[in-house]
């Protein structure tokens, strides 16, 4: 039987969580020859590789690919190139999936011949306590099959997490759609911004097979020049897409959300130099005004930005103190 699904798990020094993730992928309603689990060991120097190797030795559908540390985007690209499955599912090593969720998801993707299938997820903290969903997950819960353009207009909002999608491998490969290695943060959003608009058949599935674990370490905002540069590169991609698809409102909205997120990020004291150069950097990208479609703090910050980018940065800095 041909491999239907390739689950790709990039992992770097995550000996604490990798077993839970792999176990969840094994507790499924599929035969082992119907799907594979590709663990891309991104240069780990803890027990991650040893743990993964123990699983691979007793499960014929687990494959380990080890590389030097190159970051999650390159690890995902490596997994994509190694995959034999008709569909791909990228899963983060510190998250996990629900038991016996794969058969139905695969049937839905195959029956509708989908390029992309998007689904909901559940959020929990490190102790397993449920957390409220993100704001801006969806515009609607329309579950009909539609084009990527219509999906961005009517269903998809701001949460471009790659693990919330099944993707047809041939759709990605035929269009040379890979992750951008230089982007160490927001790589999901930059990738999905390029991918979704090109899809012919997309469907939202009103189910939550994925468990996203919010760790305290994920919430810290320590200084990172790479994060700043990644956000700039992602914004640049979205701006170019906005020019290419001027009638697609998604790109105007998401560029505003990214810029506001960047301004809030560089409000920390360590980002002094970035605060100085950001207005000119955004001007050089051709960004004159922000168009944000939701209410809330981002809406107000977008209004202030349109009056004065430097004023917006200064107010954000004051609120952060």
């Amino acid at each position: 039987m041909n491999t239907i699904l390739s689950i790709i798990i990039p992992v770097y020094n995550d000996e604490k969580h990798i077993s839970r993730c792999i176990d969840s992928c094994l507790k499924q309603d599929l035969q082992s020859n119907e799907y594979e689990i590709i663990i891309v060991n991104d240069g780990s120097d803890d027990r991650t590789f040893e743990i993964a190797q123990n699983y691979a030795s007793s499960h014929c559908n687990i494959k380990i690919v080890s590389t030097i540390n190159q970051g999650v985007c390159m690890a995902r690209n490596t997994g994509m190139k190694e995959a034999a499955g008709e569909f791909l599912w990228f899963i983060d090593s510190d998250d996990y999936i629900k038991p016996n969720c794969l058969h139905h998801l695969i049937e839905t993707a195959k029956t509708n011949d989908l390029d992309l299938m998007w689904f909901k997820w559940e959020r929990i903290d490190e102790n397993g306590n449920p957390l409220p969903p993100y704001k801006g997950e969806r515009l609607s819960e329309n579950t009909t099959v539609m084009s990527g353009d219509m999906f961005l207009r009517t269903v998809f909002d701001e949460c471009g997490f790659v693990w919330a999608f099944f993707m047809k491998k041939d759709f990605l490969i035929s269009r040379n759609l890979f992750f951008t290695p230089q982007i160490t943060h927001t790589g999901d959003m930059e990738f999905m911004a390029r991918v979704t608009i090109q899809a012919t058949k997309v469907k939202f599935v009103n189910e939550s097979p994925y468990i996203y674990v919010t760790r305290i370490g994920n919430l810290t905002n320590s200084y990172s020049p790479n994060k700043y540069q990644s956000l700039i590169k992602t914004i640049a991609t979205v701006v170019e897409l906005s020019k290419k698809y001027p009638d697609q409102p998604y790109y105007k909205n998401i560029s505003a959300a990214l810029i506001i997120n960047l301004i809030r990020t560089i409000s920390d004291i360590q980002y002094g130099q970035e605060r100085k150069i950001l207005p000119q950097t955004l001007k050089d990208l051709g960004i004159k005004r922000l168009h944000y479609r939701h209410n809330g703090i981002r809406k107000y910050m977008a209004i202030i930005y349109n009056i004065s980018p430097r004023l917006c940065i200064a107010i954000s800095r004051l609120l952060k103190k």
Side-chain angles (χ1 to χ4, degrees):
M1 181 180 294
N2 293 330
T3 303
I4 304 170
L5 175 68
S6 295
I7 295 174
I8 298 170
I9 308 173
V11 60
Y12 172 71
N13 284 356
D14 199 13
E15 62 183 10
K16 183 178 178 181
H17 305 101
I18 187 64
S19 291
R20 180 181 62 186
C21 182
I22 298 173
D23 284 337
S24 74
C25 295
L26 291 171
K27 296 174 182 177
Q28 296 300 323
D29 46 3
L30 292 178
Q31 299 297 318
S32 59
N33 61 349
E34 294 180 285
Y35 75 113
E36 63 179 357
I37 302 167
I38 301 175
I39 302 167
V40 183
N41 175 40
D42 187 33
S44 298
D45 54 17
D46 63 356
R47 292 185 60 250
T48 294
F49 176 73
E50 177 187 344
I51 294 168
Q53 200 169 38
N54 287 337
Y55 277 94
S57 65
S58 56
H59 294 87
C60 62
N61 61 336
I62 294 181
K63 179 179 182 180
I64 304 173
V65 181
S66 285
T67 66
I68 61 172
N69 180 242
Q70 301 177 85
V72 65
C73 285
M74 185 62 81
R76 286 170 175 161
N77 287 342
T78 298
M80 193 188 308
K81 293 172 183 177
E82 292 285 338
E86 180 180 352
F87 294 96
L88 309 178
W89 192 5
F90 297 96
I91 294 178
D92 287 350
S93 61
D94 53 350
D95 299 332
Y96 59 99
I97 62 177
K98 291 183 178 178
N100 299 325
C101 67
L102 291 184
H103 178 78
H104 173 63
L105 292 174
I106 287 172
E107 284 300 306
T108 301
K110 286 181 65 67
T111 300
N112 293 280
D113 190 28
L114 299 177
D115 294 327
L116 299 175
M117 184 172 69
W118 190 49
F119 37 78
K120 297 192 292 187
W121 60 90
E122 295 179 7
R123 295 175 68 219
I124 64 172
D125 64 19
E126 291 180 287
N127 298 316
N129 300 311
L131 297 172
Y134 283 121
K135 295 179 180 179
E137 285 185 12
R138 297 176 299 284
L139 294 174
S140 78
E141 294 192 347
N142 185 343
T143 60
T144 59
V145 177
M146 62 187 75
S147 68
D149 177 77
M150 187 57 64
F151 179 72
L152 290 176
R153 291 178 187 275
T154 62
V155 180
F156 196 58
D157 202 3
E158 295 177 12
C159 294
F161 301 119
V162 71
W163 38 253
F165 286 88
F166 264 31
M167 307 178 191
K168 184 182 289 183
K169 181 184 176 184
D170 285 349
F171 159 67
L172 298 177
I173 299 299
S174 65
R175 291 163 175 78
N176 197 33
L177 291 168
F178 291 92
F179 293 85
T180 303
Q182 296 83 3
I183 297 181
T184 56
H185 299 75
T186 63
D188 289 31
M189 188 169 290
E190 194 269 349
F191 178 73
M192 294 313 307
R194 290 185 285 112
V195 166
T196 309
I197 192 69
Q198 299 189 49
T200 302
K201 292 184 177 182
V202 187
K203 180 179 173 62
F204 167 63
V205 176
N206 198 4
E207 300 175 21
S208 304
Y210 194 91
I211 310 297
Y212 174 67
V213 184
T214 300
R215 290 191 284 164
I216 294 174
N218 292 343
L219 302 178
T220 59
N221 195 24
S222 56
Y223 176 67
S224 172
N226 287 336
K227 184 174 184 179
Y228 175 83
Q229 292 298 331
S230 291
L231 278 162
I232 291 295
K233 287 184 174 69
T234 301
I235 291 166
T237 295
V238 173
V239 169
E240 287 304 308
L241 289 166
S242 184
K243 294 175 183 176
K244 186 175 181 179
Y245 304 99
D247 297 327
Q248 173 53 259
Y250 169 77
Y251 294 115
K252 292 181 176 64
N253 182 71
I254 201 65
S255 64
L258 285 164
I259 289 167
I260 297 304
N261 182 40
L262 177 56
I263 289 172
R264 294 169 74 177
T265 296
I266 65 171
S267 295
D268 280 359
I269 189 171
Q270 304 98 318
Y271 288 95
Q273 181 61 29
E274 288 81 1
R275 285 195 295 276
K276 291 179 182 178
I277 65 175
L278 180 60
Q280 185 61 48
T281 299
L282 296 177
K283 185 178 180 180
D284 292 342
L285 290 175
I287 298 167
K288 298 178 181 178
R289 294 184 62 82
L290 303 187
H291 303 272
Y292 191 67
R293 63 188 173 193
H294 300 302
N295 292 321
I297 188 170
R298 285 179 177 173
K299 181 75 169 183
Y300 292 112
M301 290 186 71
I303 293 171
I304 297 170
Y305 181 94
N306 292 336
I307 297 171
S308 168
R310 293 193 181 279
L311 177 62
C312 183
I313 294 170
I315 291 175
S316 179
R317 178 81 180 99
L318 287 172
L319 292 173
K320 197 70 176 259
K321 288 183 178 179

